[in-house]
Amino acid sequence: MSTLTQFLSGKLKSQEFTSSGTFTVPAGVTTVWVTMSGGGGSGSVNNNIGSNIAGGGAGAYCLKQAVTVTPGASVTVTIGAGGASVTDSAAFQTETPGNNGGTTSFGSLSVSGGTGGQSSGNGVSNGVGGANGGGNSYPGQSAGGRPGTIAGGAGGLFGDGTNGARGTGNSSSAAANSGAGSGGAALSSGGGAVSGAGGSGRCIVEWLS
């Protein structure tokens, strides 16, 4: 039966993964369509509210990518973690880059996590916003946390990045399974600024039956 015939006579079904697991291919199904995002990166931090710091990048994604499967087979699904939160050091004007998000995969198909916001070098120049993940030529949804001032995190396929935080200590973590980046954070001399974690990835599998 052709895919078009299945679409006209069948019913679209789906299964969503917000944590790693296994997809069991239903009987009679030979093609599934996969939408997924890698984890978002976390923002950089600095012990200087006058510094320019950067937000984390969004995870790469794919949209309804067709994948050939075998009826009854088990396919491993791995959900990429968001980049871990970062805390600044006690040294004045020392910036710490954010952490990268993890890769999300469905069998052999994968999309990379976003990169963490990058250090600007002792607050002298603009921080570099985290790049989007690059898996399988599917770019992230936005260009990453923008350099300059206290940047927010990049929006992911499934949710928004969080705002940067100047002088308030912490930026918020991106929502779980959003694939978004977290904003950068800065405090004055004394240390303790914390960037939130990036949002973890997500995978949605669809098929006709």
Side-chain angles (χ1 to χ4, degrees):
M1 180 182 294
S2 70
T3 300
L4 177 59
T5 301
Q6 283 181 302
F7 181 78
L8 293 174
S9 63
K11 181 179 180 181
L12 185 65
K13 297 183 179 180
S14 67
Q15 182 175 353
E16 181 175 280
F17 290 85
T18 56
S19 60
S20 299
T22 301
F23 175 74
T24 301
V25 182
V29 173
T30 57
T31 301
V32 296
W33 292 269
V34 178
T35 296
M36 61 184 177
S37 169
S42 59
S44 60
V45 294
N46 199 309
N47 184 6
N48 178 11
I49 60 174
S51 296
N52 295 300
I53 62 174
Y61 65 86
C62 63
L63 295 173
K64 298 184 183 297
Q65 177 72 14
V67 178
T68 300
V69 292
T70 302
S74 296
V75 182
T76 299
V77 178
T78 301
I79 301 300
S85 173
V86 176
T87 302
D88 73 5
S89 70
F92 184 55
Q93 288 193 344
T94 298
E95 185 172 16
T96 303
N99 290 305
N100 297 342
T103 297
T104 294
S105 61
F106 176 86
S108 61
L109 178 68
S110 65
V111 288
S112 302
T115 61
Q118 300 301 299
S119 172
S120 65
N122 295 325
V124 175
S125 59
N126 287 349
V128 178
N132 298 300
N136 292 310
S137 299
Y138 297 98
Q141 184 168 336
S142 60
R146 296 296 186 181
T149 319
I150 308 298
L157 178 62
F158 297 104
D160 296 333
T162 61
N163 294 332
R166 177 193 292 276
T168 59
N170 304 337
S171 66
S172 299
S173 294
N177 306 117
S178 66
S182 69
L187 280 173
S188 59
S189 179
V194 180
S195 70
S200 52
R202 185 185 302 190
C203 177
I204 300 172
V205 186
E206 298 174 292
W207 66 95
L208 292 167
S209 63

